[in-house]
Amino acid sequence: MKRVAIILFTTLSSFIILQSAKDIRHETKYTRLDSLRGSITPERVWWDLTYYHLSVSVDPSTKTLVGSNRVDYKVLSENQIIQIDLQAPLQLHSASQNGENLEITKEGPAHFIKLKKKQEIGAVNSLLLNYSGQPVEAENAPWDGGITWTKDKNGKDFIASSCQGDGASLWWPCKDHMYDEVDSMLMSITVPEHLMNVSNGRYRGTDENDDGTKTFHWFVNNPINNYGVNINIGDYVHFKESYTGEKGSLSMDYYVLRDNLKRARKQFKDAPRTMEALEHWFGPYPFYEDGYKLVEVPYLGMEHQSSVTYGNGYQNGYRGTDLSGTGWGLKWDYIIIHETGHEWFANNITYKDMADMWLHESFTTYSEGLFTEYFYGKDAGAEYIRGLRTGIDNTENIIADYDVNAHGSGDMYPKGANLLHTIRQVVNDDEKWRGVLRGLNQTFYHQTVTTKQIEEYISEKTGRNFQYVFDQYLRDNSLPVLEYIIQEDKVQYRWSGVVEGFDLPLKVFLNEAEIWIEPTTNWQSTSAKNPTSFKIDSNFYVSILNVMGS
């Protein structure tokens, strides 16, 4: 991951890093272990997660974890083998059901546990897992997964988990596939007594233990994806406020290192502003029951559900830079807005397969423009989204291969946002478009989804079939090119470099007059008296080429 680390500090790092990881991944062919990690195996499909109780003791002095996970599940079909995932060097020491130890067969991170009790359809059963070890250490969190072990400037331990893509099984045993979210979860995290642990959901209290440790209990009342589960350990101080939102009073809690309290009180004012803007565009914050937290961590940040992590240095922009190059991105804190945006797209609506990661990143990058629009005007929001185009490579597809835990091109951030912005232009009705965005979060509330479901919903609710538009931008890496020829009394135009059936209408300016055209791959024309200029509305993410060179 050294290559990624070198790229990290470039202006467009969040896009380039993901692209670099994609390049590295394609150097290796897929293996059976990729399929075990990325597919809904026969040993996964027959049971549905209902509850976790994860109990973990964290020892910073040895960088080790010792713990257990109680897994409750509902039986959907007959099977006697259950797949639990845990990645080396962590070890799953035992699995038991009803007090009986069970046989475990291991293949890479997949642990196949042979159940003795007959698994009756409809029954809710429990499995107890015990594990320990030194988990993978994240060298460049959050782009590589694992635990970050570091110290704050006062020499106190500062620890956090991050594991998207690599999987939650990097640090705890679980059903490590995105299609099945646990309905609720209790986390009991034990740390040295001078430290605090902050995790997802609501705080349920602290146990003071006799061995110089404390156990912090956190309960998640909503379905949660496995990579959204986190631990954050440090010398935290806490402040809070209440936000009056669309579903009433929302508790907003902030946990920061002791020396950063003053800066946090100022910088975190962007958090309620984000709630205001994104509730307007996307509908109610999806986790009122669990509250909202912003937690300081020793890496850039991540969208952990109801426990959003923050490491942007208490500055606006993305580490002080504007990814759009327009100036608008310096008026707000990128990590607060972007990672909070994921509460709607990633945590409320979650991809079933990582190949569809664009559902998280495209909509959330688009939310940055919507935030900008809400506070600074429509032109500002559009300018911000257009500015992100400098980070687009158009060299690989946004959607990756399915069932092997693969993600697509980093273009999913800026190109995906511009795809959505382009569709909005075609819809040409801002309230209708807002209704589509809110409707997505209502229709797919707390669900895992496929790209097909989202594409079909947008087409249905807008009243226009965008199938081939999605194919072009998600499943092909070519940017559509509108070729045109200006003649004495008309302009001819056609699409080139597009997928078969591509049908994107365009707003254009002919002699500065606004008109709409519907190009195809065949030459068409529109009459004009002495045409001198022909331009596309810049809000459409397409290219234009005068094939006559005039």
Side-chain angles (χ1 to χ4, degrees), residues 60-338:
S61 65
T62 59
K63 296 184 178 180
T64 57
L65 307 178
V66 178
S68 65
N69 189 23
R70 172 184 157 185
V71 182
D72 290 0
Y73 62 92
K74 184 177 181 179
V75 179
L76 303 178
S77 61
E78 292 183 0
N79 205 312
Q80 293 298 122
I81 306 292
I82 191 169
Q83 180 180 340
I84 294 293
D85 303 290
L86 184 66
Q87 298 182 39
L90 292 174
Q91 294 185 343
L92 184 63
H93 298 298
S94 66
S96 61
Q97 190 164 72
N98 299 328
E100 290 188 277
N101 284 332
L102 304 171
E103 178 185 337
I104 304 172
T105 302
K106 182 176 179 294
E107 185 176 357
H111 294 69
F112 299 102
I113 301 169
K114 187 175 182 180
L115 303 169
K116 295 180 180 179
K117 174 184 175 182
K118 182 173 175 55
Q119 303 296 295
E120 302 283 356
I121 295 175
V124 176
N125 296 330
S126 185
L127 188 68
L128 182 62
L129 310 168
N130 290 286
Y131 80 108
S132 70
Q134 197 171 64
V136 170
E137 186 167 353
E139 295 181 4
N140 185 31
W143 294 280
D144 64 332
I147 305 295
T148 299
W149 309 88
T150 188
K151 304 275 189 181
D152 65 20
K153 66 180 182 180
N154 297 317
K156 294 188 177 181
D157 290 296
F158 193 22
I159 302 161
S161 63
S162 55
C163 58
Q164 186 182 18
D166 294 304
S169 57
L170 274 173
W171 68 276
W172 58 287
C174 60
K175 186 179 192 177
D176 203 357
H177 195 285
M178 299 298 292
Y179 87 99
D180 189 6
E181 296 185 342
V182 71
D183 297 335
S184 62
M185 181 172 185
L186 175 63
M187 301 180 68
S188 301
I189 309 300
T190 300
V191 299
E193 61 185 353
H194 63 282
L195 300 174
M196 178 188 299
N197 172 74
V198 181
S199 290
N200 314 79
R202 296 282 185 186
Y203 173 64
R204 279 199 166 181
T206 304
D207 298 333
E208 297 190 7
N209 306 315
D210 295 334
D211 61 354
T213 64
K214 290 182 177 180
T215 303
F216 293 83
H217 302 281
W218 297 87
F219 182 74
V220 181
N221 194 53
N222 287 289
I224 185 169
N225 62 61
N226 56 56
Y227 86 83
V229 175
N230 70 346
I231 54 172
N232 307 289
I233 300 164
D235 182 26
Y236 287 125
V237 292
H238 170 231
F239 65 103
K240 63 181 180 179
E241 62 183 318
S242 179
Y243 173 75
T244 302
E246 292 193 13
K247 290 180 68 175
S249 179
L250 173 65
S251 61
M252 302 187 71
D253 292 90
Y254 310 111
Y255 293 85
V256 301
L257 292 182
R258 189 171 303 278
D259 292 344
N260 292 332
L261 179 59
K262 184 176 180 180
R263 289 198 295 169
R265 286 188 182 277
K266 177 182 178 182
Q267 193 70 13
F268 286 6
K269 290 179 181 178
D270 265 351
R273 293 210 314 151
T274 304
M275 284 295 166
E276 180 182 348
L278 298 191
E279 282 206 331
H280 170 81
W281 285 107
F282 296 156
Y285 172 71
F287 307 106
Y288 270 75
E289 300 86 351
D290 291 326
Y292 170 88
K293 291 188 293 298
L294 198 55
V295 187
E296 185 174 1
V297 291
Y299 61 86
L300 184 60
M302 197 70 195
E303 66 261 25
H304 301 110
Q305 183 174 309
S306 71
S307 182
V308 172
T309 50
Y310 177 87
N312 201 35
Y314 299 99
Q315 58 190 325
N316 282 355
Y318 178 96
R319 287 180 165 160
T321 65
D322 178 6
L323 295 178
S324 76
T326 64
W328 293 113
L330 292 176
K331 293 186 176 296
W332 37 266
D333 191 309
Y334 174 92
I335 290 299
I336 295 177
I337 279 70
H338 182 89

Side-chain angles (χ1 to χ4, degrees), residues 483-493 510-511 523-534 546-550:
E483 297 181 342
Y484 73 98
I485 301 170
I486 293 180
Q487 298 178 325
E488 291 183 359
D489 59 349
K490 65 183 177 180
V491 175
Q492 291 185 293
Y493 52 84
L510 177 56
N511 288 351
W523 285 106
Q524 299 179 70
S525 64
T526 184
S527 299
K529 186 176 181 180
N530 299 320
T532 57
S533 66
F534 184 71
N546 184 346
V547 296
M548 296 298 290
S550 59

Side-chain angles (χ1 to χ4, degrees), residues 432 458-466:
K432 186 175 185 178
I458 291 174
S459 291
E460 177 189 351
K461 297 303 178 181
T462 59
R464 183 181 182 95
N465 186 355
F466 284 100

